[in-house]
Tab-separated table of all heavy atoms in Angstrom:
chain	number	residue	atom	x	y	z
A	52	ILE	N	-0.655	50.482	-3.835
A	52	ILE	CA	-0.262	50.804	-5.211
A	52	ILE	C	-1.306	51.721	-5.842
A	52	ILE	O	-0.967	52.736	-6.464
A	52	ILE	CB	-0.083	49.516	-6.050
A	52	ILE	CG1	1.163	48.752	-5.588
A	52	ILE	CG2	-0.007	49.839	-7.536
A	52	ILE	CD1	1.275	47.355	-6.174
A	53	LEU	N	-2.577	51.369	-5.678
A	53	LEU	CA	-3.649	52.206	-6.222
A	53	LEU	C	-3.652	53.588	-5.585
A	53	LEU	O	-3.741	54.607	-6.284
A	53	LEU	CB	-5.004	51.531	-5.992
A	53	LEU	CG	-5.323	50.333	-6.859
A	53	LEU	CD1	-6.524	49.578	-6.314
A	53	LEU	CD2	-5.579	50.779	-8.293
A	54	ILE	N	-3.556	53.639	-4.274
A	54	ILE	CA	-3.570	54.911	-3.554
A	54	ILE	C	-2.407	55.794	-4.007
A	54	ILE	O	-2.591	56.985	-4.274
A	54	ILE	CB	-3.527	54.672	-2.032
A	54	ILE	CG1	-4.847	54.047	-1.557
A	54	ILE	CG2	-3.229	55.967	-1.276
A	54	ILE	CD1	-4.788	53.447	-0.163
A	55	GLY	N	-1.226	55.213	-4.119
A	55	GLY	CA	-0.067	55.974	-4.565
A	55	GLY	C	-0.244	56.504	-5.975
A	55	GLY	O	0.051	57.665	-6.260
A	56	HIS	N	-0.747	55.654	-6.861
A	56	HIS	CA	-0.954	56.065	-8.250
A	56	HIS	C	-1.992	57.181	-8.338
A	56	HIS	O	-1.783	58.189	-9.018
A	56	HIS	CB	-1.377	54.866	-9.094
A	56	HIS	CG	-1.699	55.227	-10.506
A	56	HIS	ND1	-0.732	55.625	-11.407
A	56	HIS	CD2	-2.884	55.284	-11.159
A	56	HIS	CE1	-1.311	55.907	-12.564
A	56	HIS	NE2	-2.605	55.699	-12.434
A	57	TRP	N	-3.116	57.001	-7.650
A	57	TRP	CA	-4.166	58.011	-7.705
A	57	TRP	C	-3.738	59.316	-7.043
A	57	TRP	O	-4.118	60.394	-7.491
A	57	TRP	CB	-5.439	57.483	-7.065
A	57	TRP	CG	-6.102	56.380	-7.846
A	57	TRP	CD1	-5.990	56.135	-9.189
A	57	TRP	CD2	-6.970	55.375	-7.333
A	57	TRP	NE1	-6.745	55.037	-9.531
A	57	TRP	CE2	-7.356	54.552	-8.423
A	57	TRP	CE3	-7.464	55.083	-6.067
A	57	TRP	CZ2	-8.219	53.476	-8.271
A	57	TRP	CZ3	-8.325	54.007	-5.913
A	57	TRP	CH2	-8.693	53.208	-7.011
A	58	ASN	N	-2.961	59.228	-5.994
A	58	ASN	CA	-2.470	60.439	-5.331
A	58	ASN	C	-1.516	61.211	-6.251
A	58	ASN	O	-1.567	62.432	-6.307
A	58	ASN	CB	-1.763	60.079	-4.025
A	58	ASN	CG	-1.296	61.299	-3.276
A	58	ASN	OD1	-2.103	62.124	-2.840
A	58	ASN	ND2	0.009	61.440	-3.136
A	59	ASP	N	-0.675	60.490	-6.969
A	59	ASP	CA	0.300	61.131	-7.850
A	59	ASP	C	-0.315	61.633	-9.153
A	59	ASP	O	0.257	62.474	-9.832
A	59	ASP	CB	1.437	60.162	-8.193
A	59	ASP	CG	2.300	59.826	-6.993
A	59	ASP	OD1	2.248	60.565	-5.978
A	59	ASP	OD2	3.026	58.814	-7.065
A	60	ASN	N	-1.474	61.094	-9.515
A	60	ASN	CA	-2.131	61.433	-10.787
A	60	ASN	C	-3.555	61.893	-10.514
A	60	ASN	O	-4.502	61.140	-10.723
A	60	ASN	CB	-2.125	60.219	-11.722
A	60	ASN	CG	-0.725	59.761	-12.020
A	60	ASN	OD1	-0.040	60.356	-12.837
A	60	ASN	ND2	-0.280	58.724	-11.336
A	61	ARG	N	-3.695	63.120	-10.097
A	61	ARG	CA	-5.003	63.637	-9.688
A	61	ARG	C	-5.817	64.215	-10.829
A	61	ARG	O	-6.873	64.786	-10.614
A	61	ARG	CB	-4.826	64.696	-8.600
A	61	ARG	CG	-4.235	64.125	-7.329
A	61	ARG	CD	-4.165	65.163	-6.263
A	61	ARG	NE	-3.522	64.640	-5.070
A	61	ARG	CZ	-3.639	65.179	-3.884
A	61	ARG	NH1	-4.354	66.269	-3.715
A	61	ARG	NH2	-3.021	64.648	-2.851
A	62	THR	N	-5.361	64.089	-12.045
A	62	THR	CA	-6.123	64.595	-13.181
A	62	THR	C	-7.108	63.545	-13.666
A	62	THR	O	-6.950	62.351	-13.406
A	62	THR	CB	-5.189	64.978	-14.346
A	62	THR	OG1	-4.480	63.819	-14.770
A	62	THR	CG2	-4.203	66.058	-13.931
A	63	LEU	N	-8.116	63.995	-14.388
A	63	LEU	CA	-9.114	63.062	-14.913
A	63	LEU	C	-8.583	62.221	-16.056
A	63	LEU	O	-9.031	61.114	-16.279
A	63	LEU	CB	-10.354	63.836	-15.385
A	63	LEU	CG	-11.173	64.496	-14.290
A	63	LEU	CD1	-12.315	65.298	-14.905
A	63	LEU	CD2	-11.724	63.461	-13.332
A	64	ILE	N	-7.649	62.761	-16.802
A	64	ILE	CA	-7.101	62.051	-17.944
A	64	ILE	C	-5.662	61.683	-17.641
A	64	ILE	O	-4.855	62.521	-17.255
A	64	ILE	CB	-7.150	62.914	-19.219
A	64	ILE	CG1	-8.600	63.274	-19.528
A	64	ILE	CG2	-6.508	62.199	-20.386
A	64	ILE	CD1	-8.765	64.260	-20.653
A	65	GLY	N	-5.337	60.441	-17.801
A	65	GLY	CA	-3.978	59.996	-17.550
A	65	GLY	C	-3.791	58.585	-18.047
A	65	GLY	O	-4.717	57.947	-18.537
A	66	THR	N	-2.591	58.104	-17.931
A	66	THR	CA	-2.307	56.740	-18.341
A	66	THR	C	-1.837	55.947	-17.134
A	66	THR	O	-1.240	56.496	-16.210
A	66	THR	CB	-1.206	56.700	-19.425
A	66	THR	OG1	-0.028	57.313	-18.895
A	66	THR	CG2	-1.644	57.441	-20.664
A	67	VAL	N	-2.111	54.678	-17.152
A	67	VAL	CA	-1.668	53.792	-16.086
A	67	VAL	C	-0.322	53.214	-16.492
A	67	VAL	O	-0.184	52.648	-17.578
A	67	VAL	CB	-2.687	52.663	-15.837
A	67	VAL	CG1	-2.164	51.698	-14.796
A	67	VAL	CG2	-4.023	53.236	-15.420
A	68	ASN	N	0.649	53.387	-15.633
A	68	ASN	CA	1.976	52.834	-15.858
A	68	ASN	C	1.855	51.328	-16.045
A	68	ASN	O	1.160	50.650	-15.290
A	68	ASN	CB	2.840	53.183	-14.646
A	68	ASN	CG	4.238	52.659	-14.731
A	68	ASN	OD1	4.445	51.474	-14.968
A	68	ASN	ND2	5.194	53.527	-14.505
A	69	LYS	N	2.525	50.771	-17.046
A	69	LYS	CA	2.427	49.333	-17.329
A	69	LYS	C	2.936	48.488	-16.167
A	69	LYS	O	2.427	47.399	-15.919
A	69	LYS	CB	3.173	48.995	-18.618
A	69	LYS	CG	2.469	49.511	-19.841
A	69	LYS	CD	3.173	49.117	-21.115
A	69	LYS	CE	2.424	49.730	-22.283
A	69	LYS	NZ	2.959	49.380	-23.550
A	70	ASP	N	3.945	48.976	-15.430
A	70	ASP	CA	4.441	48.237	-14.269
A	70	ASP	C	3.381	48.168	-13.177
A	70	ASP	O	3.190	47.134	-12.541
A	70	ASP	CB	5.714	48.887	-13.705
A	70	ASP	CG	6.886	48.778	-14.666
A	70	ASP	OD1	6.910	47.829	-15.480
A	70	ASP	OD2	7.772	49.649	-14.596
A	71	ILE	N	2.681	49.278	-12.973
A	71	ILE	CA	1.609	49.313	-11.978
A	71	ILE	C	0.496	48.366	-12.402
A	71	ILE	O	0.000	47.577	-11.596
A	71	ILE	CB	1.071	50.748	-11.790
A	71	ILE	CG1	2.125	51.603	-11.092
A	71	ILE	CG2	-0.236	50.752	-11.015
A	71	ILE	CD1	1.783	53.079	-11.047
A	72	GLN	N	0.084	48.441	-13.658
A	72	GLN	CA	-0.986	47.573	-14.148
A	72	GLN	C	-0.616	46.102	-14.014
A	72	GLN	O	-1.428	45.286	-13.595
A	72	GLN	CB	-1.333	47.906	-15.605
A	72	GLN	CG	-2.564	47.177	-16.090
A	72	GLN	CD	-3.807	47.543	-15.310
A	72	GLN	OE1	-4.094	48.710	-15.129
A	72	GLN	NE2	-4.539	46.550	-14.847
A	73	HIS	N	0.624	45.756	-14.349
A	73	HIS	CA	1.079	44.373	-14.226
A	73	HIS	C	1.031	43.927	-12.764
A	73	HIS	O	0.569	42.818	-12.464
A	73	HIS	CB	2.491	44.217	-14.783
A	73	HIS	CG	3.058	42.847	-14.572
A	73	HIS	ND1	2.634	41.750	-15.301
A	73	HIS	CD2	3.976	42.391	-13.687
A	73	HIS	CE1	3.268	40.676	-14.870
A	73	HIS	NE2	4.092	41.038	-13.907
A	74	SER	N	1.502	44.754	-11.864
A	74	SER	CA	1.493	44.414	-10.434
A	74	SER	C	0.072	44.192	-9.946
A	74	SER	O	-0.212	43.211	-9.261
A	74	SER	CB	2.153	45.521	-9.611
A	74	SER	OG	3.505	45.656	-9.955
A	75	LEU	N	-0.833	45.097	-10.298
A	75	LEU	CA	-2.227	44.953	-9.874
A	75	LEU	C	-2.862	43.702	-10.469
A	75	LEU	O	-3.557	42.965	-9.766
A	75	LEU	CB	-3.039	46.179	-10.279
A	75	LEU	CG	-2.826	47.425	-9.436
A	75	LEU	CD1	-3.579	48.597	-10.050
A	75	LEU	CD2	-3.260	47.200	-8.008
A	76	ASP	N	-2.633	43.466	-11.752
A	76	ASP	CA	-3.193	42.265	-12.389
A	76	ASP	C	-2.717	41.000	-11.694
A	76	ASP	O	-3.501	40.074	-11.456
A	76	ASP	CB	-2.821	42.215	-13.871
A	76	ASP	CG	-3.563	43.240	-14.713
A	76	ASP	OD1	-4.555	43.814	-14.228
A	76	ASP	OD2	-3.126	43.461	-15.865
A	77	ALA	N	-1.437	40.946	-11.356
A	77	ALA	CA	-0.879	39.767	-10.686
A	77	ALA	C	-1.491	39.576	-9.297
A	77	ALA	O	-1.863	38.457	-8.923
A	77	ALA	CB	0.642	39.887	-10.584
Side-chain angles (χ1 to χ4, degrees):
I52 290 169
L53 287 167
I54 291 165
H56 176 70
W57 291 336
N58 183 64
D59 292 343
N60 300 282
R61 296 184 184 199
T62 61
L63 292 176
I64 300 173
T66 59
V67 176
N68 179 308
K69 289 183 182 183
D70 293 333
I71 290 171
Q72 188 62 50
H73 175 74
S74 297
L75 284 174
D76 288 346

